[in-house]
Amino acid sequence: MDSLTRVPGLLYGGDWNPEQWPEEVWAEDVKLMTEAGVNLVTVGVFAWARLQPDADSWDFGWLDRLLALCHAHGIAVDLATATASPPAWLVRAHPQVLPRTADGVRLEFGSRQHYCPSSPAYRAAAVRLTRALAERYRDHPALALWHVHNEYGDHVAECFCARSAADFRRWLRERYDGSVAELNRCWGTACWSQQYRGFEEIEPPRTAPGPANPTQLLDWRRFCSDALLALYRAERAVLDGVSPGVPVTTNFMSMAKSLDYWEWSRHQDLVSDDAYPDPADPHAHVHAALGYDLMRSLGGGRPWLLMEQAPSAVSWRPVNLPKRPGLYRLWSLQALARGADGVLHFQWRAAVAGAEKFHSAMLPHRGTAARGWRQTLRLGAELRRLGEIAGSRLHGQAAVLLDWESWWALELDDHPSARMRWPELLRPWYSALHERGITVDFVPPTGDLDRYPLVLAPNLYLVEPATADRLAAFVRAGGQLVCGPFSGIVDRHDHIHPGGPPGPLRPLLGLVVDEPWPIPDGTATVVRLREAPGPQELRAVSWSEWLELEGAEALAHYDSGELAGRPAVTRHRHGAGSAWYLGCHLGADVGRVLDPALAAAGVVPQLPGLPAGVEATCRLAADGTGYLFLLNHGSAECRLPPVAGTDLLTGAELGAGFTLAPLGAVVARLSPATTLPTTDEEHV
Ligand code: GAL
């Protein structure tokens, strides 16, 4: 078994903040945890001030007692390094710990995450605390996992203080090999007389009268991700040195813009994620699936851990809806369906004071009489029944290219349209695939494409010639590539490629873009498919392009507006494969264009013919056992065809067909002979 930690089976539990409670309550906590089947708790996330009440005094007694209590009850501990909330004494002794906004405003003490990533005082104190914890608890039998910091980039992802400016200059010197002439060239400082005579003249992109230099902004984003990563790595280095062999993670925030998670995931022993899908959003489960597929991909397909979710409502949206009965269970099973080996929460016991007192918890304010508590018990019992799936994996049938640098560059200011945002471009593509029952992996531009018959690039605004070459080789060898609009625009310095878009993708796509043609808000352009089963009319929103074909064939034309009659969607045969291009943003209609590419790639749903709203995935264990998840996100009961297997949740044999209630779920252990189509069995 490929266990994430030393804890066998699936992980169940959550953030426990015992420092907010008198110790008498702890005994009840562990008793109830045992009842619920909790086997992993995250401890100490915001306990810095309690652990180190003063610069030179430490208080570990309570944590000693707590860990002993956990161990005595068979509950393993994900021990946090507690560095996300610097205490008042540190901030008062070293006010430079506090971060500054782009406007120069110093963010005050009184919340959390109030630190400047480049502050030497903060870093030294964080490393010292990490070392103290590691030295004290490295051999503790309850310790299963180190939890570094908490959600890097949450609240404060950048700081514009003088110390950060100095650190930025140091980073720039390295990036540009000490040559300010090279920096001037790459930043295009000839525009608006921005030339620098030396690195010492450079500042972070603080609030300025007008648009900032885009390459400066792009480098700033790179720097900010690196600066936080350096902090993480400083803590991690201590843990590796003092407590080798204990896995280390820091909790990610799903598809978060500020950190390049490809780079970050290289330094995680296991990828963990915090996910808070909104019960008010009817598509929340699709967005959640997207985040979960990303987490699995960041870990190279290995099982990952849902570190935090809410048992019911959160407290930080303007209106916080609870999860209606059944939703919590269904969404928890969804994380497992997409490769998680555990479901943890924020938080174990509902707080009575502080900023999060209205946040739901596994043990609600009403205690064991609450509906929520029954849900906690039920899920715990069900996860125990599903224990054997731990370590099994699932694999995407197609790849989606994701590049944080391209995302950052795409969303810089002063573009033809401010509507071209990566999440909005990606989501309709992902939704179309989800609706068709196709599971995807995310892949970085440098990733391995050869295991996939189909690669999707909803947007590749920033593309280097090397990436274009790799994509061309993939298509030549028989792959299908589908590329979305506004791609191939700039290089890594955010300079427009010679000859205009799609730059180095031009020979592969067999076309050139004469001019982008954004579509005004609230209007749509009709796009007509040349051949299609079913309706041929689609609607483009936000974006279209004037395309000139250079070998590509048009699969769809604009049928209204100024581009009427011009090509909108194309395909270019290249070697043994094809490169498809969408010159417009098709929003919810994009699936109609993806269908022929899926067909050409031979990518079919793992379980064809499922009712709408039913999500299906299959995890495969190393011994070849398949686990089929069927989750009904819809509001109607549906009848499903026979499955040769047993539902692990109920023990029912599914060979005669079965019914899935709204929000119902089945996790079937498939009979040995059952084969579902997969593209990648050898990777199991
Ligand atoms: C997360 C955070 C937790 C808690 C939670 C509430 O972002 O890591 O500490 O605040 O949100 O939903």
Side-chain angles (χ1 to χ4, degrees):
M1 186 161 63
D2 187 2
S3 174
L4 290 185
T5 61
R6 297 174 207 158
V7 184
L10 297 174
L11 302 169
Y12 187 49
D15 277 25
W16 182 22
N17 296 307
E19 68 276 12
Q20 296 178 14
W21 296 92
E23 289 199 22
E24 305 82 78
V25 178
W26 300 357
E28 190 196 30
D29 280 322
V30 287
K31 184 180 140 283
L32 292 176
M33 285 177 188
T34 316
E35 248 175 65
V38 164
N39 55 11
L40 184 71
V41 285
T42 303
V43 169
V45 177
F46 295 109
W48 190 342
R50 180 75 193 270
L51 290 165
Q52 193 182 7
D54 213 329
D56 289 310
S57 57
W58 301 91
D59 180 4
F60 290 117
W62 67 276
L63 193 53
D64 293 353
R65 292 190 290 282
L66 189 90
L67 262 61
L69 191 64
C70 288
H71 184 56
H73 287 79
I75 300 164
V77 171
D78 166 33
L79 187 54
T81 58
T83 51
S85 245
W89 59 258
L90 177 66
V91 163
R92 295 302 170 231
H94 303 279
Q96 324 83 289
V97 162
L98 294 172
R100 277 190 196 272
T101 65
D103 293 332
V105 174
R106 196 172 78 175
L107 299 177
E108 247 310 333
F109 181 83
S111 179
R112 61 176 176 182
Q113 304 277 13
H114 42 271
Y115 65 92
C116 156
S118 298
S119 158
Y122 169 73
R123 181 190 289 221
V127 163
R128 191 168 167 227
L129 174 61
T130 302
R131 180 172 299 283
L133 284 163
E135 283 173 349
R136 190 165 189 99
Y137 298 110
R138 63 182 162 199
D139 297 321
H140 200 288
L143 176 66
L145 180 64
W146 284 110
H147 181 294
V148 176
H149 195 93
N150 192 66
E151 293 191 341
Y152 281 98
D154 182 35
H155 302 314
V156 176
E158 54 188 359
C159 168
F160 295 82
C161 75
R163 183 66 225 198
S164 296
D167 207 18
F168 183 42
R169 287 190 282 269
R170 177 202 49 77
W171 184 93
L172 290 169
R173 273 200 180 89
E174 270 171 38
R175 183 171 176 89
Y176 294 100
D177 278 335
S179 164
V180 82
E182 181 62 2
L183 177 139
N184 277 315
R185 188 188 72 74
C186 294
W187 283 21
T189 54
C191 170
W192 293 357
S193 209
Q194 290 175 350
Q195 288 94 340
Y196 297 101
R197 292 165 305 164
F199 283 91
E200 65 287 352
E201 289 184 348
I202 301 171
E203 294 290 338
R206 298 202 183 93
T207 306
N213 180 304
T215 316
Q216 179 187 11
L217 286 169
L218 181 56
D219 273 348
W220 176 250
R221 284 230 163 262
R222 291 173 171 130
F223 161 74
C224 292
S225 179
D226 284 0
L228 286 171
L229 182 60
L231 270 185
Y232 165 78
R233 293 188 64 189
E235 288 196 29
R236 177 157 194 154
V238 172
L239 298 173
D240 287 343
V242 178
S243 172
V246 179
V248 179
T249 190
T250 187
N251 42 348
F252 288 168
M253 299 178 288
S254 302
M255 182 72 76
K257 182 176 171 183
S258 57
L259 305 183
D260 180 347
Y261 280 156
W262 289 125
E263 186 53 32
W264 279 69
S265 58
R266 297 201 302 114
H267 307 281
Q268 311 297 318
D269 293 328
L270 70 95
V271 168
S272 62
D273 189 37
D274 298 351
Y276 290 94
D278 185 357
D281 175 0
H283 305 292
H285 65 286
V286 183
H287 305 325
L290 187 160
Y292 299 162
D293 285 348
L294 173 62
M295 291 305 130
R296 188 184 65 250
S297 306
L298 289 170
R302 288 190 299 279
W304 55 280
L305 176 60
L306 181 58
M307 183 64 87
E308 288 182 24
Q309 68 161 351
S312 190
V314 298
S315 53
W316 40 262
R317 294 193 171 100
V319 178
N320 298 297
L321 263 60
K323 291 180 177 165
R324 62 190 189 279
L327 198 60
Y328 162 62
R329 170 184 184 254
L330 183 73
W331 284 3
S332 302
L333 294 174
Q334 188 194 19
L336 303 179
R338 296 200 166 265
D341 264 6
V343 177
L344 274 60
H345 304 81
F346 182 84
Q347 59 179 330
W348 159 251
R349 182 185 275 274
V352 291
E356 299 191 287
K357 59 182 174 297
F358 288 110
H359 199 288
S360 62
M362 296 174 81
L363 181 61
H365 290 135
R366 248 189 100 196
T368 54
R371 182 178 67 86
W373 176 247
R374 291 196 293 281
Q375 295 191 150
T376 300
L377 291 178
R378 180 181 182 189
L379 188 63
E382 293 198 323
L383 294 192
R384 280 198 297 279
R385 273 177 238 144
L386 297 179
E388 67 181 74
I389 72 163
S392 60
R393 299 183 179 199
L394 78 155
H395 298 282
Q397 303 162 271
V400 176
L401 283 188
L402 165 59
D403 180 7
W404 261 269
E405 297 212 339
S406 182
W407 179 359
W408 295 335
L410 170 72
E411 297 187 5
L412 292 169
D413 294 334
D414 301 291
H415 280 190
S417 166
R419 303 287 170 259
M420 300 294 272
R421 319 306 279 182
W422 166 249
E424 274 87 71
L425 295 175
L426 166 67
R427 278 179 173 181
W429 291 50
Y430 185 87
S431 301
L433 295 159
H434 188 269
E435 194 181 306
R436 285 159 178 72
I438 310 291
T439 303
V440 295
D441 290 336
F442 288 89
V443 176
T446 50
D448 175 12
L449 304 177
D450 299 338
R451 4 186 321 199
Y452 305 97
L454 174 67
V455 171
L456 304 156
N459 175 265
L460 259 190
Y461 170 79
L462 183 159
V463 68
E464 284 287 300
T467 304
D469 290 348
R470 298 184 66 247
L471 291 172
F474 163 76
V475 175
R476 250 193 327 276
Q480 306 294 321
L481 167 73
V482 189
C483 190
F486 204 32
S487 287
I489 310 297
V490 299
D491 65 12
R492 66 179 185 282
H493 305 305
D494 198 43
H495 291 194
I496 301 282
H497 282 298
L505 296 170
R506 183 169 170 174
L508 171 59
L509 298 176
L511 56 83
V512 63
V513 180
D514 184 70
E515 207 173 354
W517 220 273
I519 299 171
D521 291 346
T523 67
T525 301
V526 177
V527 169
R528 187 169 295 278
L529 289 168
R530 219 177 50 194
E531 296 162 13
Q536 295 184 324
E537 213 172 274
L538 314 177
R539 289 160 66 81
V541 288
S542 305
W543 188 265
S544 58
E545 290 168 0
W546 180 304
L547 302 182
E548 301 280 353
L549 304 192
E550 297 177 334
E553 56 178 319
L555 302 179
H557 287 90
Y558 296 106
D559 206 18
S560 71
E562 288 133 341
L563 299 186
R566 300 214 56 83
V569 178
T570 65
R571 177 178 54 204
H572 187 224
R573 296 192 196 278
H574 185 81
S578 293
W580 313 58
Y581 184 66
L582 281 62
C584 51
H585 180 36
L586 286 170
D589 285 346
V590 73
R592 301 290 316 286
V593 173
L594 297 183
D595 280 333
L598 288 166
V603 175
V604 294
Q606 287 199 311
L607 250 145
L610 285 176
V614 175
E615 178 174 6
T617 63
C618 188
R619 291 179 64 152
L620 289 168
D623 67 1
T625 308
Y627 298 100
L628 176 66
F629 284 75
L630 290 164
L631 311 173
N632 185 5
H633 297 282
S635 49
E637 179 178 283
C638 45
R639 184 84 198 147
L640 288 162
V643 167
T646 313
D647 182 7
L648 294 176
L649 295 169
T650 59
E653 293 300 326
L654 304 170
F658 55 98
T659 300
L660 266 188
L663 307 187
V666 150
V667 183
R669 184 205 297 120
L670 299 175
S671 312
T674 316
T675 52
L676 291 173
T678 88
T679 52
D680 196 28
E681 277 166 12
E682 76 276 15
H683 283 93
V684 172

